[in-house]
Amino acid sequence: MHDELIAQAQAWLTEDPDPDTRTELARLIDAEDHAELAARFSGTLQFGTAGLRGELGAGPMRMNRSVVIRAAAGLAAYLRKQGHDNGLVVIGYDARHKSHDFALDTAAVMTGAGLRAAVLPRPLPTPVLAFAIRHLGAVAGVEVTASHNPPRDNGYKVYLGDGSQIVPPADADIAAEIAAVPSLTTVRRPTEGWDTLDDSVLDAYLARTDAVLAKDTPRTARTVYTAMHGVGKDVLLAAFARAGFPEPALVTEQADPDPEFPTVAFPNPEEPGAMDLAFAKARETAPDLIIANDPDADRCAVAVQDGADWRMLRGDEVGALLAAHLVRRGATGTFAESIVSSSLLGRIAEKAGLRHVETLTGFKWIARAEGLRYGYEEALGYCVDPEGVRDKDGITAALLVTELASQLKEEGRTLLDLLDDLAVEHGLHATDQLSVRVQDLSLIAAAMTRLREQPPTELAGLPITRTDDLTQGTADLPPTDGLRYTLDGARVIVRPSGTEPKLKCYLEVVIPVASHTDLPEARAQATALLESIKRDLSTAAGI
């Protein structure tokens, strides 16, 4: 067994084009570190609807140049089979370790396969890449990013020519082509022949950002902004300057790209502690709101002053605020969200006479809603300009929420006041999440099995009136690994994360509210109910 492992590692080593991972792997072979070698050679990173994502390092279970070259070769073969022999593939990348190398490898492979390749000029937000695909008429796009994952990770996200991320069966078809690559020596990688784009694509993107705002609206809201050590700062500042908003006060410690993400445990605004520096800056500067992007700037977090201190708004709260703002502006079209997001969007759309659609989790599904005008999911993702960017976009979302805050400011009101109004109009929709990160992925499968074999009949004393096993699919949804519980006045969805080693449980309770004076009691009731559901769900799932 050990001999076979060493042989596998040596075969990989002979093909590895990267001196860094070659050195790392040679050291493991010399040390006969069988446990570590087994972890790296126990299979291959699976190419799915999130593309690839994993820890950097040598071997087929890690993100590295060898894995990326194979992925690019598989994508190129898939595109050629789709009849895109001379099609353009546009490639973007963030500022993580190895991102630029992976982007250039992809460009080389596409060029070698007879496709045309164009690389964005420097690390830029993912939405700029999503925009570039449609703007340039590309047949596909690749973004090298691990979004808000830990510093040691990187990833490879694939879009097709409509500018939205791949969905089945394209993911399985591309995976089959990747698996069919016999060896790296068969993959042609010329050293030139692709284009490096200039700033004209970025300029075109920025020109479109103006279109998300209404003409002659107030532009007075003052913001604190953090880029979370990612690539958002320059593009967001340029968009805010074009729009005429006051220049955001920067969280300087997190303003510039740094692949080590030194000030945060996880570079995700949702994680505890990630926003602490932004809150400190807000206490100094007293802005109207805080805006945060994740490292590739496709997500947008918003924080507001609530009483004496600052708090993050939930993705569902921002989702409802933007929807209400667009309705007030007379937007028409489909309002779409993922099934794990708040049902409040449906109430807002229904009252406005707009079509409302629920999709599976992820913008690869939301972006495909017919006639999409606005889409969001609770994980801080908002699509406010679907014609320009058929994906979540943390830059345009930041503009739109700052426009809303400016309008409310002129009326002597805040984002929290509008949330109160929505609660009185549609009922208090309170959401929460139980998220369990694991080292051992089998624990997630075990929890899902336990819930299926010993299903709970009630949570927090509320009877479960309906259970949907989403692996069966529904009339409106394709199959996915998840469970949905409908309770009287509440809803729970349990699913494994598609991008991280987490089991995620999404909870919502809806409490009717007669007037503004009833809100404090309704909030207290909702908080207690959510906590009780969390406790009972943990017990039922064995987590």
Side-chain angles (χ1 to χ4, degrees), residues 133-304:
I133 295 165
R134 292 166 69 83
H135 179 67
L136 298 173
V139 299
V142 171
E143 176 70 17
V144 181
T145 181
S147 189
H148 55 277
N149 275 37
R152 63 179 182 273
D153 289 4
N154 213 329
Y156 197 82
K157 193 185 283 192
V158 176
Y159 297 76
L160 293 180
D162 63 351
S164 54
Q165 296 172 52
I166 52 169
V167 294
D171 56 341
D173 293 345
I174 295 167
E177 296 292 348
I178 294 169
V181 176
S183 113
L184 288 196
T185 56
T186 65
V187 181
R188 289 190 59 225
R189 282 188 297 130
T191 54
E192 57 186 17
W194 58 88
D195 289 330
T196 300
L197 296 166
D198 60 18
D199 275 356
S200 58
V201 168
L202 176 59
D203 293 342
Y205 168 82
L206 284 168
R208 261 208 89 88
T209 63
D210 302 346
V212 305
L213 302 175
K215 292 219 178 338
D216 305 323
T217 48
R219 308 280 163 96
T220 54
R222 292 170 52 252
T223 54
V224 159
Y225 172 70
T226 175
M228 206 66 68
H229 299 296
V231 298
K233 179 192 71 172
D234 292 347
V235 178
L236 182 127
L237 289 181
F240 269 56
R242 288 179 69 103
F245 287 116
E247 184 176 350
L250 297 178
V251 178
T252 50
E253 302 94 326
Q254 300 175 333
D256 294 316
D258 186 335
E260 291 298 323
F261 304 103
T263 67
V264 288
F266 286 94
N268 177 354
E270 293 177 292
E271 293 282 349
M275 295 288 286
D276 287 357
L277 288 170
F279 291 160
K281 185 76 176 178
R283 290 181 201 114
E284 269 173 48
T285 57
D288 298 297
L289 71 165
I290 298 171
I291 300 282
N293 285 139
D294 67 339
D296 68 326
D298 62 351
R299 294 166 198 252
C300 174
V302 179
V304 294

Side-chain angles (χ1 to χ4, degrees), residues 307-540:
D309 210 354
W310 288 78
R311 79 165 172 95
M312 272 269 291
L313 293 179
R314 292 191 161 278
D316 284 318
E317 291 176 310
V318 177
L321 287 168
L322 292 178
H325 183 45
L326 289 169
V327 164
R328 183 173 164 183
R329 275 181 28 184
T332 58
T334 300
F335 278 32
E337 64 180 326
S338 61
I339 54 170
V340 299
S341 304
S342 171
S343 58
L344 177 55
L345 185 70
R347 305 273 177 99
I348 292 169
E350 184 184 15
K351 180 147 192 195
L354 298 173
R355 183 166 178 259
H356 171 249
V357 172
E358 284 189 325
T359 74
L360 292 186
T361 311
F363 262 83
K364 57 184 177 278
W365 298 108
I366 295 169
R368 285 180 157 72
E370 192 180 330
L372 182 67
R373 172 60 186 88
Y374 169 64
Y376 99 90
E377 66 177 356
E378 53 68 49
L380 312 182
Y382 315 94
C383 173
V384 300
D385 176 25
E387 288 310 302
V389 177
R390 190 85 28 122
D391 196 9
K392 55 187 178 290
D393 182 347
I395 305 293
T396 48
L399 286 171
L400 198 62
V401 78
T402 308
E403 177 186 60
L404 171 59
S406 298
Q407 283 192 330
L408 291 166
K409 185 178 181 178
E410 297 299 300
E411 298 164 12
R413 285 155 41 82
T414 67
L415 294 173
L416 292 179
D417 292 328
L418 180 52
L419 283 172
D420 286 352
D421 292 350
L422 291 172
V424 172
E425 189 175 358
H426 302 289
L428 176 67
H429 290 62
T431 57
D432 203 353
Q433 198 181 116
L434 172 63
S435 183
V436 183
R437 184 180 287 273
V438 298
Q439 291 293 318
D440 179 358
L441 285 174
S442 70
L443 295 174
I444 293 177
M448 294 300 289
T449 300
R450 178 173 168 150
L451 287 170
R452 286 189 170 104
E453 290 177 354
Q454 303 164 46
T457 55
E458 63 170 41
L459 294 169
L462 299 174
I464 292 172
T465 56
R466 176 176 171 167
T467 300
D468 295 307
D469 189 337
L470 300 175
T471 49
Q472 310 302 311
T474 71
D476 306 312
L477 300 170
T480 188
D481 187 10
L483 292 162
R484 178 168 57 188
Y485 303 110
T486 305
L487 301 89
D488 189 15
R491 184 211 65 198
V492 173
I493 293 175
V494 184
R495 61 179 277 273
S497 168
T499 54
E500 296 176 273
K502 282 182 174 180
L503 182 69
K504 290 188 158 185
C505 311
Y506 304 85
L507 326 176
E508 178 176 48
V509 299
V510 183
I511 294 173
V513 181
S515 71
H516 284 74
T517 52
D518 299 327
L519 278 169
E521 188 186 333
R523 288 212 165 91
Q525 192 184 339
T527 301
L529 202 49
L530 287 167
E531 283 307 312
S532 184
I533 292 174
K534 261 195 220 181
R535 263 196 314 277
D536 289 358
L537 192 60
S538 285
T539 304

